[in-house]
Amino acid sequence: MTRLIDTVAERAAPAPPRHPEKAHRPDQPVARKPPWIRVKAPGSPVYSETLSLVRELKLSTVCEEARCPNIGECWDKRHATFMIMGETCTRACAFCNVRTGLPDPLDENEPDRVADGVARLALAHVVVTSVDRDDLADGGARHFARTIAAIRRAAPETTIEVLTPDFLRKEGALEAVVAARPDVFNHNLETVPSKYLTVRPGARYFASLRLLQRAKELDPSLFTKSGVMVGLGEERNEVLQMMDDMRAAGVDFLTIGQYLQPTPKHHSVERFVTPEEFADYATIGLAKGFLLVSSSPLTRSSHHAGDDFARLKRARAAALRGG
């Protein structure tokens, strides 16, 4: 009888694909970025210190997961957007680089770790976002509320901005988040209604719009905010109509940035919008009544969030005096 002995070390199983739902899609060409999109590679000492703290506390950031082009600038200033409830999303948006699949159970200690990170970074303003958790009965709303409460205990002077999912069909979820009293409630519409089927198929435009409107109804003192990407094939008049929809919902702050394609499997960049067009959108948005509009190729929802919060407060005070 012959016995075969395998002397080759057992190979590790290949990691599951980051975006299994996109694996069989044909590759889309990745367009060369124009000069106004270029950013410096991260690598400063402060960036490294921020990275070390994030690793030490086992925290996730949307800065890394979504491959944000501003990570070097923000982390050099000790600004980070914490992403709670894991690194796996239950949605499969065509623009997003966050991993998709079945998420792990919630980490009950995560709110305290996030709060510890906020305190140790001495943040004046923090942004807390999350993956979509359609698997949870409340969409993760109570986890958001617990994280807000933990930050209030650990860093009472820090102002808090939440960037939430749409809580689609999650009764009472929004109410739980607003009751925790964040300073800014942010939910991104991402794109114009005509692009939802191909860009954001798991979401509903008017449900997201109603979420923002309802947040303001629940707490009129709350600043509401929303962001969109351009360059996905939308028409200018669609962007202007979307501005009107947001203003009808009472949104205070609008961010507009250039969509950048993470991989060949993601939605292609249909056009690079020029800096002049972004400036035009900002002018129109302010004329339509937004307290603040941040519109540039590299604008992202959480970019300069702390500085923008201070500007929001000044703009509201000025508007009240003018009234």
Side-chain angles (χ1 to χ4, degrees):
M1 177 177 179
T2 304
R3 183 180 180 188
L4 298 178
I5 301 175
D6 187 359
T7 59
V8 179
E10 184 178 348
R11 297 176 182 175
R18 188 175 181 85
H19 303 287
E21 80 290 344
K22 298 178 176 68
H24 300 293
R25 292 182 183 177
D27 286 0
Q28 302 293 327
V30 179
R32 182 178 175 83
K33 297 180 181 67
W36 61 80
I37 295 291
R38 308 299 167 82
V39 294
K40 291 174 60 177
S44 73
V46 178
Y47 170 90
S48 299
E49 291 171 15
T50 304
L51 177 61
S52 295
L53 180 60
V54 167
R55 295 287 184 270
E56 177 189 339
L57 295 175
K58 298 180 180 178
L59 298 173
S60 298
T61 69
V62 75
C63 321
E64 294 177 284
E65 292 300 315
R67 296 177 61 182
C68 178
N70 302 313
I71 187 171
E73 176 192 352
C74 290
W75 283 27
D76 186 51
K77 297 177 180 177
R78 295 191 183 278
H79 295 171
T81 298
F82 296 110
M83 189 171 76
I84 60 175
M85 296 192 280
E87 299 176 354
T88 303
C89 186
T90 55
R91 301 279 175 95
C93 297
F95 64 87
C96 185
N97 195 50
V98 173
R99 185 185 306 277
T100 55
L102 181 63
D104 293 327
L106 291 180
D107 178 353
E108 296 300 323
N109 296 319
E110 183 178 51
D112 289 329
R113 291 205 315 278
V114 171
D116 189 18
V118 171
R120 290 174 62 178
L121 285 168
L123 299 182
H125 184 84
V126 64
V127 182
V128 179
T129 189
S130 78
V131 291
D132 277 285
R133 290 298 303 257
D134 296 308
D135 59 309
L136 300 175
D138 68 348
R142 286 164 186 80
H143 201 76
F144 262 105
R146 288 185 59 224
T147 303
I148 294 169
I151 294 170
R152 294 284 188 222
R153 290 192 298 270
E157 300 303 315
T158 301
T159 50
I160 303 171
E161 178 174 330
V162 293
L163 171 55
T164 77
D166 57 12
F167 299 127
L168 195 62
R169 295 181 287 274
K170 304 295 184 182
E171 191 71 28
L174 174 65
E175 288 77 4
V177 175
V178 173
R181 299 191 63 81
D183 297 283
V184 181
F185 179 86
N186 187 356
H187 172 68
N188 288 334
L189 293 185
E190 306 292 8
T191 189
V192 299
S194 68
K195 297 299 173 185
Y196 262 55
L197 184 60
T198 54
V199 174
R200 201 180 176 219
R204 299 294 178 267
Y205 176 79
F206 287 104
S208 286
L209 201 62
R210 176 57 182 155
L211 186 84
L212 289 158
Q213 182 181 38
R214 179 65 179 148
K216 181 69 79 172
E217 290 171 353
L218 289 167
D219 184 356
S221 70
L222 185 65
F223 287 106
T224 53
K225 176 178 175 181
S226 190
V228 298
M229 302 169 291
V230 290
L232 286 159
E234 72 289 328
E235 298 292 336
R236 182 176 182 274
N237 65 328
E238 292 182 292
V239 177
L240 302 189
Q241 179 60 60
M242 181 174 56
M243 290 184 186
D244 289 335
D245 293 343
M246 287 187 186
R247 286 301 304 132
V251 173
D252 298 304
F253 182 11
L254 167 63
T255 63
I256 308 175
Q258 171 70 52
Y259 166 64
L260 298 176
Q261 183 180 353
T263 76
K265 296 296 183 183
H266 286 76
H267 196 293
S268 59
V269 175
E270 300 299 324
R271 187 170 76 92
F272 286 106
V273 178
T274 67
E276 292 75 19
E277 291 173 277
F278 279 105
D280 183 52
Y281 280 142
T283 300
I284 293 171
L286 291 172
K288 286 180 179 292
F290 289 100
L291 290 178
L292 193 62
V293 180
S294 179
S295 176
S296 75
L298 288 172
T299 289
R300 294 296 180 267
S301 188
S302 304
H303 194 209
H304 298 152
D307 294 338
D308 287 339
F309 179 66
R311 293 168 61 199
L312 264 178
K313 290 192 293 184
R314 289 195 297 269
R316 175 181 282 179
L320 290 173
R321 287 196 302 272

